[in-house]
Amino acid sequence: MTVTQDAYDEQARLWNGVAGRAWVDTQATLDQLFRPLEDLLTQAVAAATQAGDRLLDVGCGTGATTLAIARLHDGQRHCIGLDISEPMIEAARARAAREGSAASFVCADAQRHVFEPASFDMVVSRLGVMFFDDPVSAFANLRSAAREGAALRFIAWRGAADNPFMTTAERAAAPLLPNLPVRKPGAPGQFAFADPRKVRSLLEDSGWTDIDIQPVDLPCALPEKDLLGYLTRLGPVGLALEEADAQTRAHVIATVRSAFDAYVHGDEVRMTAACWTVGARASSASATPGEKTNA
Ligand SMILES: C[S@@+](CC[C@H](N)C(=O)[O-])C[C@H]1O[C@@H](n2cnc3c(N)ncnc32)[C@H](O)[C@@H]1O
């Protein structure tokens, strides 16, 4: 088995298991927290598309962004959300049914799914494209699904150093949890796109052009009452707590909760999401996917 296959299996297992269930259970909290990212994407979509356009939301999770795009201009765009996680896609479909949305959802691996060629007018993602075991082949696959001239727009995290909120729990819990999963620099995961040169290079190598990568610092918030649910279910600490005994669990939760005090303002928790907003275009001037452009 190759390292790439191992990385794929790990991501598929996580998102269909503990991480996927945690995202489903905390969906309302996460959607509130990441609403500013959703707004940034929907503004980009509104500016770059027109009535009748078909959009693909990659790594759509429980569907917040897919549904927001489908609501734009009274439902004049058709948005398809695609995600590798069965439980998250199930939750997204249930939400779409509840709100009578025309958005549709596919459970598949964006890197390997056989898309109808040139069938999308825009490809978007909120935090859903940093998990591929082979990002160049994944973005080449998305490029082939995009029609000539289609736009790509996604939001990805900058580095961990720029996002201290995101690593507060693991730094506080590390002395108490010897089995805390360790983040591997550059490996598929939350901060895999921290280096903008790497992002530019992989987009060039996968056949995208007009690449534009800009930093954005987005103020985000969640109610203080939801903080415990957030920090005990998500990220490396959420994973480790699944297996911790009751005493360790209580100790970790108390320690980690107080480490977040600096972010608590009355009944609200505030943090800044330090992200890249990345744009590109599917153009025939691009190199054959996989070739270097040297441009
Ligand atoms: C951080 S979550 C973001 C979810 C959603 N975009 C949101 O903002 O709520 C990352 C998502 O990427 C999905 N994902 C990871 N690898 C994937 C792959 N190879 N193909 C499709 N989706 C994938 C995960 O299942 C997860 O739903």
Side-chain angles (χ1 to χ4, degrees):
M1 187 179 277
T2 63
V3 172
T4 299
Q5 182 65 38
D6 283 344
Y8 168 73
D9 289 345
E10 189 185 334
Q11 290 299 321
R13 185 177 48 77
L14 264 180
W15 292 109
N16 278 287
V18 58
R21 284 196 305 277
W23 272 70
V24 169
D25 293 347
T26 57
Q27 174 243 305
T29 305
L30 289 170
D31 284 348
Q32 183 170 358
L33 185 65
F34 296 138
R35 179 68 195 263
L37 285 68
E38 174 189 309
D39 291 345
L40 193 67
L41 269 183
T42 49
Q43 282 158 20
V45 167
T49 58
Q50 51 195 5
D53 277 357
R54 271 168 57 87
L55 289 96
L56 175 66
D57 180 12
V58 181
C60 65
T62 56
T65 309
T66 325
L67 292 167
I69 291 169
R71 262 181 244 121
L72 274 178
H73 302 284
D74 293 330
Q76 290 170 358
R77 284 130 179 93
H78 184 59
C79 196
I80 297 172
L82 179 138
D83 201 283
I84 202 170
S85 166
E86 193 82 54
M88 293 172 86
I89 284 291
E90 256 176 46
R93 284 187 180 129
R95 289 176 82 180
R98 277 198 300 276
E99 68 173 77
S101 172
S104 56
F105 294 92
V106 177
C107 187
D109 173 8
Q111 184 176 318
R112 295 166 179 82
H113 184 65
V114 181
F115 292 101
E116 187 186 329
S119 55
F120 290 102
D121 301 290
M122 186 167 186
V123 177
V124 301
S125 181
R126 181 181 77 171
L127 307 175
V129 290
M130 301 89 77
F131 306 92
F132 303 126
D133 53 289
D134 181 347
V136 172
S137 78
F139 276 95
N141 196 32
L142 297 173
R143 166 68 187 84
S144 70
R147 70 153 171 80
E148 185 65 29
L152 169 71
R153 170 69 55 184
F154 66 82
I155 298 174
W157 293 105
R158 304 212 301 274
D162 289 337
N163 285 291
F165 179 90
M166 286 291 150
T167 50
T168 296
E170 64 214 66
R171 280 182 278 118
L176 309 172
L177 289 171
N179 296 329
L180 194 61
V182 178
R183 295 182 193 260
K184 300 174 201 124
Q190 184 177 17
F191 297 122
F193 282 11
D195 180 354
R197 288 163 305 180
K198 172 178 155 181
V199 178
R200 178 175 293 279
S201 158
L202 74 86
L203 288 174
E204 284 173 354
D205 289 353
S206 54
W208 292 91
T209 59
D210 300 348
I211 298 158
D212 178 47
I213 305 176
Q214 301 294 336
V216 279
D217 292 301
L218 298 161
C220 296
L222 72 150
E224 194 278 336
K225 67 178 174 48
D226 294 340
L227 179 58
L228 266 191
Y230 171 88
L231 58 86
T232 55
R233 296 297 307 280
L234 296 154
V237 172
L239 292 181
L241 283 180
E242 287 270 310
E243 283 155 22
D245 59 70
Q247 199 185 349
T248 309
R249 203 181 147 76
H251 192 181
V252 168
I253 291 173
T255 306
V256 168
R257 173 60 190 81
S258 58
F260 277 89
D261 280 349
Y263 296 98
V264 178
H265 303 270
D267 58 3
E268 198 173 62
V269 180
R270 294 183 208 147
M271 66 90 161
T272 300
C275 295
W276 301 117
T277 171
V278 180
R281 194 157 292 284
S283 152
S284 59
S286 61
T288 306
E291 271 179 17
K292 279 247 178 229
T293 58
N294 290 327

